[in-house]
């Protein structure tokens, strides 16, 4: 009974939201039906605390979104690759943004070998990232390791986007697509740019090396209390 009531709440919320959208912008939904022309593809974590559209304040129709546990882009994941292909080839998005977030449960599980079931196999991709950077991660104080791996994971997954055949082909034919890596702070609601912004195949390796060096510096010599984040 309680469950039914909860779902009724959702329908009531939905009716109120739709009426509000229509009254603020008459014809909003009929315009959306006619066309979707988002400029951005967001690849983020499925975590309920990281709602893509809301935290960049974009309306329906303005952001194409793919989310999974720990924002992984695997070379053989037909789901993510199909989203990227549609976004690039059909929608012609100009920016693809991989967005991780602080205190990511998937990253924590991967870092600490926690077992939850089937998802452990998915998180092997994040463990691959951990293993690639194990020496660096182990050199950090324990309390910084999760957020460092969150950032490393964003870099690796953003690089995977760059190396997908879809993006490679788009760049080859001269289509403008920029791939970015960002991290969202659960504690302050703010997005941080990992300074990995790539728009050409030749830029992938140097941009990755630059972003990785900056990441390592940030974590190996963190700002003193009161000093702004670098
Ligand atoms: Zn997460």
């Amino acid at each position: 009974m309680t469950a039914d009531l909860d779902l009724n709440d959702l329908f009531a919320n939905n009716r109120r939201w739709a009426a509000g959208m229509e009254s603020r912008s008459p014809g909003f939904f009929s315009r959306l039906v006619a066309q979707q022309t988002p400029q951005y593809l967001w690849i983020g974590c499925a975590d309920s605390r990281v709602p893509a559209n809301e935290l960049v304040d974009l309306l329906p129709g303005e952001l194409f979104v793919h989310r999974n546990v720990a924002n992984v882009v695997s070379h053989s994941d037909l789901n993510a690759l199909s989203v990227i292909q549609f976004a690039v080839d059909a929608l012609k998005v100009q920016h693809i943004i991989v967005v991780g977030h602080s205190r990511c449960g998937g990253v924590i599980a991967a870092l600490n070998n926690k077992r939850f079931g089937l998802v452990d196999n998915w998180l092997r991709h994040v463990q691959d990232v951990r293993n690639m950077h194990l020496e660096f991660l182990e050199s950090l104080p324990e309390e910084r390791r999760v957020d460092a791996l969150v950032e490393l994971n964003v870099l690796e997954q953003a690089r995977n986007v760059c190396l997908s055949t879809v993006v490679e082909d788009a760049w080859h034919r001269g289509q403008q697509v920029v791939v970015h890596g960002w991290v969202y702070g659960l504690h302050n609601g703010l997005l941080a740019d990992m300074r990995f912004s790539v728009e050409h195949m030749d830029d992938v390796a140097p941009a990755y090396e630059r972003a990785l060096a900056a990441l390592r510096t940030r974590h190996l010599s963190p700002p003193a209390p009161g000093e702004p984040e670098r």
Side-chain angles (χ1 to χ4, degrees):
M1 200 60 187
T2 314
D4 285 347
L5 282 175
D6 288 341
L7 292 180
N8 284 335
D9 283 352
L10 296 188
F11 282 104
N13 288 354
N14 166 250
R15 282 191 296 273
R16 205 167 41 245
W17 172 80
M21 292 294 287
E22 194 61 34
S23 83
R24 278 192 298 278
S25 176
F28 178 78
F29 292 104
S30 32
R31 285 196 299 277
L32 268 188
V33 167
Q35 198 177 23
Q36 73 156 342
T37 52
Q39 297 290 303
Y40 319 96
L41 165 60
W42 172 287
I43 301 177
C45 182
D47 192 304
S48 66
R49 297 167 295 180
V50 193
N53 278 67
E54 279 172 71
L55 60 89
V56 283
D57 201 17
L58 288 179
L59 291 167
E62 295 183 324
L63 191 66
F64 202 57
V65 176
H66 177 74
R67 293 169 69 184
N68 62 38
V69 174
N71 43 275
V72 167
V73 179
S74 157
H75 294 306
S76 58
D77 175 10
L78 287 179
N79 186 353
L81 293 175
S82 302
V83 170
I84 295 170
Q85 194 250 323
F86 190 77
V88 171
D89 292 356
L91 298 174
K92 307 261 187 291
V93 298
Q94 298 194 7
H95 299 275
I96 302 176
I97 311 156
V98 176
V99 189
H101 66 96
S102 60
R103 308 303 303 166
C104 179
V107 169
I108 293 170
L111 182 67
N112 300 320
N113 295 314
K114 286 203 188 124
R115 296 295 297 266
F116 290 99
L118 190 62
V119 71
D120 305 336
N121 298 285
W122 179 250
L123 292 175
R124 287 286 190 246
H125 293 297
V126 183
Q127 289 191 320
D128 289 344
V129 177
R130 176 198 65 182
N131 296 342
M132 279 171 67
H133 301 279
L134 198 56
E135 203 177 321
F136 163 64
L137 287 167
E138 287 183 343
S139 73
L140 296 176
E142 218 169 314
E143 69 274 11
R144 290 196 78 89
R145 288 181 193 165
V146 171
D147 287 342
L149 182 53
V150 163
E151 294 180 16
L152 289 166
N153 186 48
V154 162
L155 276 191
E156 296 297 340
Q157 307 308 334
R159 181 166 67 163
N160 285 349
V161 173
C162 297
L163 300 179
S164 66
T165 56
V166 176
V167 171
E168 194 180 49
D169 290 350
W171 283 339
H172 191 66
R173 61 179 179 262
Q175 189 176 331
Q176 166 89 9
V177 188
V178 191
V179 179
H180 310 264
W182 295 353
V183 171
Y184 174 71
L186 284 184
H187 59 292
N188 61 7
L190 296 176
L191 288 163
D193 189 347
M194 294 296 101
R195 295 175 209 164
F196 177 86
S197 292
V198 181
E199 51 189 314
H200 192 276
M201 192 47 84
D202 294 342
D203 295 338
V204 179
Y208 173 85
E209 291 304 331
R210 274 196 307 274
L212 184 60
L215 185 161
R216 292 168 68 99
T217 305
R218 269 198 312 277
H219 286 277
L220 289 169
S221 50
E227 220 186 303
E229 283 284 339
R230 285 189 290 266

